[in-house]
Amino acid sequence: MIFQRIESEGLAHYSYMIGDRQEAIVIDPRRDCDPYIDIAEKEGFRITNILETHRNEDYLIGSIELASRTGAEIWHAEPELGYRYGKTVEDGREWKAGRLKIKAIHTPGHTSGHMSYLLHDSKGNPWVLFSGDTLFAGDVGRTDLAGKERIPEMTGLLYDSIFSKIIPLGDHVVVCPAHGSGSVCAASIADRVWTSIGMERLYNPKLRHTQREDFIKNNGQELEVPPYFRKMEELNLFPPLLSNLPVPTPLSADKFMEQSSRGTVLDSRLELDFGAAHVPGSLSIWMGGIPSFAGWFIDYDRPVFLVGETEKTAEVVRMLARMGYDRIGGSLSGGMLAWHMAGEESASNGMEPVQSLCGRIDGGEDFFILDVRSEDELRKEGRIPTALNIHITQLPGNLDKIPRDRPVHIFCGSGLRSTIAASLLQRAGWKDITVILGGMAGWKSQKCPVEK
Amino acid sequence: MIFQRIESEGLAHYSYMIGDRQEAIVIDPRRDCDPYIDIAEKEGFRITNILETHRNEDYLIGSIELASRTGAEIWHAEPELGYRYGKTVEDGREWKAGRLKIKAIHTPGHTSGHMSYLLHDSKGNPWVLFSGDTLFAGDVGRTDLAGKERIPEMTGLLYDSIFSKIIPLGDHVVVCPAHGSGSVCAASIADRVWTSIGMERLYNPKLRHTQREDFIKNNGQELEVPPYFRKMEELNLFPPLLSNLPVPTPLSADKFMEQSSRGTVLDSRLELDFGAAHVPGSLSIWMGGIPSFAGWFIDYDRPVFLVGETEKTAEVVRMLARMGYDRIGGSLSGGMLAWHMAGEESASNGMEPVQSLCGRIDGGEDFFILDVRSEDELRKEGRIPTALNIHITQLPGNLDKIPRDRPVHIFCGSGLRSTIAASLLQRAGWKDITVILGGMAGWKSQKCPVEK
Amino acid sequence: MIFQRIESEGLAHYSYMIGDRQEAIVIDPRRDCDPYIDIAEKEGFRITNILETHRNEDYLIGSIELASRTGAEIWHAEPELGYRYGKTVEDGREWKAGRLKIKAIHTPGHTSGHMSYLLHDSKGNPWVLFSGDTLFAGDVGRTDLAGKERIPEMTGLLYDSIFSKIIPLGDHVVVCPAHGSGSVCAASIADRVWTSIGMERLYNPKLRHTQREDFIKNNGQELEVPPYFRKMEELNLFPPLLSNLPVPTPLSADKFMEQSSRGTVLDSRLELDFGAAHVPGSLSIWMGGIPSFAGWFIDYDRPVFLVGETEKTAEVVRMLARMGYDRIGGSLSGGMLAWHMAGEESASNGMEPVQSLCGRIDGGEDFFILDVRSEDELRKEGRIPTALNIHITQLPGNLDKIPRDRPVHIFCGSGLRSTIAASLLQRAGWKDITVILGGMAGWKSQKCPVEK
Amino acid sequence: MIFQRIESEGLAHYSYMIGDRQEAIVIDPRRDCDPYIDIAEKEGFRITNILETHRNEDYLIGSIELASRTGAEIWHAEPELGYRYGKTVEDGREWKAGRLKIKAIHTPGHTSGHMSYLLHDSKGNPWVLFSGDTLFAGDVGRTDLAGKERIPEMTGLLYDSIFSKIIPLGDHVVVCPAHGSGSVCAASIADRVWTSIGMERLYNPKLRHTQREDFIKNNGQELEVPPYFRKMEELNLFPPLLSNLPVPTPLSADKFMEQSSRGTVLDSRLELDFGAAHVPGSLSIWMGGIPSFAGWFIDYDRPVFLVGETEKTAEVVRMLARMGYDRIGGSLSGGMLAWHMAGEESASNGMEPVQSLCGRIDGGEDFFILDVRSEDELRKEGRIPTALNIHITQLPGNLDKIPRDRPVHIFCGSGLRSTIAASLLQRAGWKDITVILGGMAGWKSQKCPVEK
């Protein structure tokens, strides 16, 4: 028997492959679909069906990709969207894979056509619920993507799906959601990598509100919508076939200088490297942050040029491809070392450990503190005295709130998002910018002052 | 967070590695311990503690191996056995790994000092039970290893452990046992690779007997004890350090001929290859069957010589090392092709598809049918008319029941175990032996006669 | 600096990737072109140019494949063939890769437009000759592919290329040919995996004939032309884009039975497995023999169905794809074990060690010996008394020479090619066929009689 | 046939594995010897003999390691050294591996007992010379390791070895030396990865001096001797058995702070990362520079603590182990990001692109330029006006030449070695230190002034 979770790191997206007696089913495949095929080949399984739980907003679905290489049938939830390929799942439909049975359960809320899938074991007992974006470990799916005005309606549907359809399945049923901790598809998924309906019934804070009205009031939140969600929704109706991941052309420093002006320069190095020296005008997103932040700051209309370690380039390309950024203009061959050896000019930004800021915060010195953490973090961890809070994702629309004539110190949880902010400000013309290394974590270690 | 199951294929042994914030704990590590170290190195974790659920009988525990390379502390259950290394777990003891907490629960039954470990998630909620050999998916641990006379006592302890300690933890708790489907440590583990206490409470046939007496009567079975269990028990008190898997010396046909006479020749090829031609006097166990059957038929006192595919030799060596067979005399370089090209003589046995036997079974022809399937299979699948049933593992002690003057046809589920039997008989001097290809599966496909 | 040989095993085809300072050139790439891209990505190199030495007959060139993924330019030798993509190399043309220089040298003979490429090191000294199919270790390129009547002309051109263009480059120049030992592109390539012009001048038996007439007389041989050469020549003018290797659908025994009748069943197992049991009507070519023999016996017009080990299926598919067999109908899921367990009927053939035949060869027994070794082997190793010699590749056209009413014993070097022959005869209706295990190698070990 | 070069990157050490018909020989194996064993297992070869060309100074030989796992025999050159294991090679001794023959040729010069090994192909023709440290591509072995006073004697021996024993073998013989470009065992090895005796005879600048006296005068150079050479020489008489590479314990920031004070902190990140922030008191050697520079600056008597990327830690450990640094105290878990998040203080150094220095060099500003490039580079590339030149390796003994009261700008080829120097100066108490990014390469790109 096959029972595999295939994770897209960074996106915290979980897809699943189950199978028995040489027949396999894949749920919500990712676009770089080699893992499913490799498992099938190694174990001698045929992938017969691809089941989608819902139309995704945070990544390009790999159904077409996988079907084109295996001949599997694609099953879409949400037929109303007008897919141009695949078949439509109806509530209650069943599929077989050897002795296993899997059954569709309509669980609207996150979207109106969302399907969950209940896997029965080889004895026919209900065993695992693939809950898509309905129920996560420690959280529930967001209900604001159909528009602000429909939040109460959608949250009510979600309540019904969870309390009338999922919880009655029993505490013992294993739950396999479409996302884990770190996803943008819910506010705060827990890090229980395996969970059960009972675990959620008992410990999921969102399910404490067992009355419908109460649930709607407390869980009908509006969350941030990264601009690329709209692009994903559009592309997911018929994702372009990838076949192989793009291979970025390595460019010498002078060629990179020349060509990258027509696109976005993405620097995937860590905060220290970027702060020390970077290609002028480049955008900083450290590698691990690309799935969360690329969609906020990178245009689909212009090619992306990469700065970072050669051995990590392929992984950056993979992450971008999952979000539909297929136009890679090239990469800086030899990295910043080669850039400097070619005599090219670089930019830098200030960096200071927390100690330095901590000691000066009350000193009457004239500088400005920008804190790019989220509301949620501010609530949990407290605020830095005198700082202006703008969440990193909202920075581009709020630049006018930041003074241009005073030194700007940027603060976040660790220094990583501060460096994104530093690059955004530099691109917009700011000069005197300093990233606070260690961020809130360091701040607390040093017992620096915090306002609740 | 790390939560990984590391499986030893064939043995169906599951070990686990959990960790948070750079601290990791390994439960019941296997002897070829690279996977734990690789995960730790890749993720930057330190393995701080190694927890054993019980003294194992079916494989050599890797605690010493892993501790010698990482400096982790070893914690034994069952101190009464007199381990010569490591520390003793007491009921209720707790360990931390980052924000995770893990707690020992004494759950005797399979052995008297058996410990289960309850993992709490980062919020402190009970989450996963590492149940060792107490509770499996669809089965419970065997209780006969302390001796036949103590079965009722041990089964009663097991009842108490399960019904008074485990089930009260709640249906929602995820269960991670030490074995999966295919293990020799229980009669019939289900193929639910992930399960929960509720799944077992509801669907585990062994737990239907909710009364203590009833449970003891029904689950106090005596199962077969492979002879190597005793060796494992002895060695597990202080397993020899392996460092690296042995590298068998490839031997030319003539050297193999000469040297292998002082050991056991193990042929790991499939039934067709072995039947067509093999080194005279060799023992057949197809590769996938080595973890289950090597311990029945291979001496620890003599070196093992290998015949099989070159590219699979390392995997065979790994399987044997897990069971403490560290003395590998060499391998036949170039396999049987080289053997024949060197002009060496080979032996063979007859092979017939089921059709052939099926057509002749009532024909009055004089031949003998030996069926080497287990009692359990006979009960479920039925018997072949006129066949003598001796389970493959009991064959060496029952050779006198098989006639030497008539053709012997050997039957099992598929043909694989029949080939083991064929090799045992040939080594004992039988000449006219035929393996029935397809076995019971083919027999049924052809609707040949079965007696219930 | 990059200097890599990428080998296509079995075909004994060598391609090369050289590079300096982030620029790389690939010579004669294979169709499954991941290795070049992986090296380039890992080292941060850009593949700028793809150079072909000549139009190949024995495999599909990967130029289009590699160019489509990297944007490299393709350079063809032999423009007269009318390629529908790429550019034409002219004699003397030069390319740069960092400080390296590579220069085209027209070396006709194997084909009329054949180009060799002389690599100069970073100091500008001539260093390595990529000699394509002109000069091999221990052999020279065949000159019979332009037709029998043009052999003297082409052999003369080859003489001129070698003696007037290559040898004058100097003994010290390293030679990197397009093929190694085992290729069908020359009669007997030596197993010197690295060689030099001097090594060849001194030790290559074909170059002993230093007079033009003498060279033509001795080296103007007509060799066998596998039927698929014509297909390769045709396809190589514009090879179909592959993108990813085909993924064969695993088929259950009954589906395989049903569907495979419309194609060729290729069984890639070894001689013993096939002899013991195989799908009736299947063609045997052991895995290592596929590059050499598939092109003789498999139709391009019908799909190929695979029988063999699951874990080797992908490699068989890869080998077939290199020869343009892209239509894979499916594979037998679970192999012959599953076939028998489904109760399907199988065929078998006799197998006997050399001893058995050796003892009976003079006994007046009525049987027929077919020896499928090549003329070259017969000359070197001698003949078996009373045997009829038909080279395995010529067997389909010479079936009428083999009696249908007597037992047929088949003989080759080891038993592998005999099994191909056995399968061909069985497909043509022969019943009583026996493969001699060990073949000529075993025969000699046993000192059985040989006629020179 | 097997013919493999196994390279130890960084050290530019080449070892070789050759084999035929299941027998293999390894020449100068490295200590982390998995590659040889993996090849042998995959191909079914037995490693029968291990040949050493000479006692090495730049790495720990892996003979004992490999012999302990395979049972191969070890053959030492230079018996006078008093090895405590293995056997002694005599001039002219021969070994077989299948049809291959390999013969020892005494070629003193680099050391007095140095052996080269001449491989003959399967036809018995001399084919490849494993020349050890006698003859490299573009260079010859250094002759100063026996002491300054013996340089003329040793250089004369080298002349005799090359001109009387090697060159007479013929231009066509392929040469496989023990080192490639980048090694410390010769001044300037060329980047011809494969070469021949003729290539060297014609293009090796050291061989232009064909008269003995002339050769001695020109090639009898004294080169730098890293302090660890003495350690290697001592350890190579009986290298400690490694079995498995050490696994460094990941330490949290506070534990790292506490424990690392008793050892050397090695920071393997690039120049920008280190310059931006590092653990106070740490030594910078970028990863690629470890094989060349660790032996100059790291004590054998104290444990090494590692700062760098988690995923590269194992590779750093491997590099250190090759040089006998087996005591790894631990690694900084989570790197500098975690360090700052823990609120720990970090140090930094100034960084400036070449433009900045170039513009100020004549401005009368008061700063000091330290150029840490080698004499050889100064000769080839020119000097920076006003700079003091101290080769990086000589810096610890020449600190008194550097002013403590003025800003120090450090210059090298790129900025990497400057960062080593910056860390050495910081550890010795200097405060105002700036690394010039881009170094000589950038300097020239910007056409800044150079003195020849």
Side-chain angles (χ1 to χ4, degrees), chain B residues 273 309 312 343 355 441 446, chain C residues 273 309 312 341 343 355 446:
Chain B
D273 316 54
E309 286 186 77
K312 293 181 178 162
Q355 287 87 338
Q446 287 294 312
Chain C
D273 315 53
E309 285 185 79
K312 293 182 179 163
M341 289 174 76
Q355 288 85 338
Q446 287 294 311

Side-chain angles (χ1 to χ4, degrees), chain D residues 26-47:
Chain D
V26 177
I27 295 162
D28 289 336
R30 69 190 204 192
R31 205 174 173 213
D32 44 326
C33 64
D34 282 341
Y36 316 107
I37 291 171
D38 291 348
I39 295 168
E41 285 207 325
K42 182 157 170 273
E43 308 284 342
F45 275 65
R46 183 162 65 93
I47 300 175

